[in-house]
Amino acid sequence: MLKVGDKLPQFKGINQDGETIDSEKLIGNKLVVFFYPQANTPTCTVEACNLSDNYSKLEKAGFQLLGISGDTVKKQKNFHSKYAFPYDLIADENKDIIEKFGVWQEKKTFGKTYMGIVRTTFIFDEKGICTRVIEKVTSKTAAEQILGG
């Protein structure tokens, strides 16, 4: 998994509108990249809505936000439209970005082991250097975790 001091990995991803997001164009602003397992699921919705509800505070603190999951562009579009998120969601179906950040890991639920996205938030400075990794994301207070760190 990416750690503090690491550089923002180079990637190009497709957002909810089918537009390409290039990581090189994100440098210059403080950046929050949050990974979530699946669009429109209860915990992911709580997290994404908390970030949306606190977007003006995050923006005032200088942060740009980007959400990433392995969902299709269509699923990201539905999720984005349903809640009118003020930030982009990337559809990383082939898991290139997910793997570059190291969040595709073995998970256990109810004794069942499987591979999946580990809910994680990465914070980068204006130079694209990782300054914080939030591994224990609390969906209801995701924005406060970012701002309070």
Side-chain angles (χ1 to χ4, degrees):
M1 185 182 289
L2 217 64
K3 57 191 179 310
V4 171
D6 288 345
K7 196 163 178 19
L8 177 68
Q10 286 191 345
F11 65 82
K12 287 185 179 166
I14 306 299
N15 75 0
Q16 70 283 344
D17 296 321
E19 299 165 343
T20 299
I21 304 289
D22 185 338
S23 63
E24 289 186 12
K25 294 195 169 100
L26 301 172
I27 293 175
N29 296 308
K30 289 194 281 185
L31 176 67
V32 173
V33 180
F34 68 99
F35 288 88
Y36 57 97
Q38 194 174 354
N40 270 316
T41 55
T43 306
C44 296
T45 300
V46 168
E47 177 185 8
C49 287
N50 176 267
L51 293 171
S52 183
D53 292 346
N54 290 283
Y55 187 73
S56 61
K57 287 181 197 170
L58 291 160
E59 204 175 33
K60 200 176 283 181
F63 291 111
Q64 181 177 350
L65 268 69
L66 183 63
I68 303 175
S69 74
D71 291 302
T72 63
V73 171
K74 184 179 178 184
K75 280 188 177 178
Q76 296 291 42
K77 177 73 174 168
N78 290 343
F79 191 38
H80 193 273
S81 297
K82 185 175 181 179
Y83 296 100
F85 295 135
Y87 49 79
D88 283 322
L89 300 176
I90 286 183
D92 188 24
E93 289 183 78
N94 58 13
K95 299 178 187 54
D96 282 350
I97 304 166
I98 291 163
E99 289 187 3
K100 283 183 179 187
F101 278 78
V103 296
W104 185 253
Q105 297 179 11
E106 191 174 273
K107 297 169 77 172
K108 282 186 180 174
T109 307
F110 304 115
K112 184 179 143 205
T113 303
Y114 61 97
M115 295 299 288
I117 295 173
V118 178
R119 185 183 315 281
T120 312
T121 299
F122 298 89
I123 301 172
F124 296 89
D125 67 13
E126 295 85 350
K127 294 179 182 151
I129 304 299
C130 184
T131 57
R132 274 180 67 214
V133 178
I134 304 171
E135 291 186 61
K136 300 220 180 304
V137 176
T138 307
S139 297
K140 290 179 183 168
T141 59
E144 289 84 347
Q145 284 183 290
I146 294 163
L147 292 166

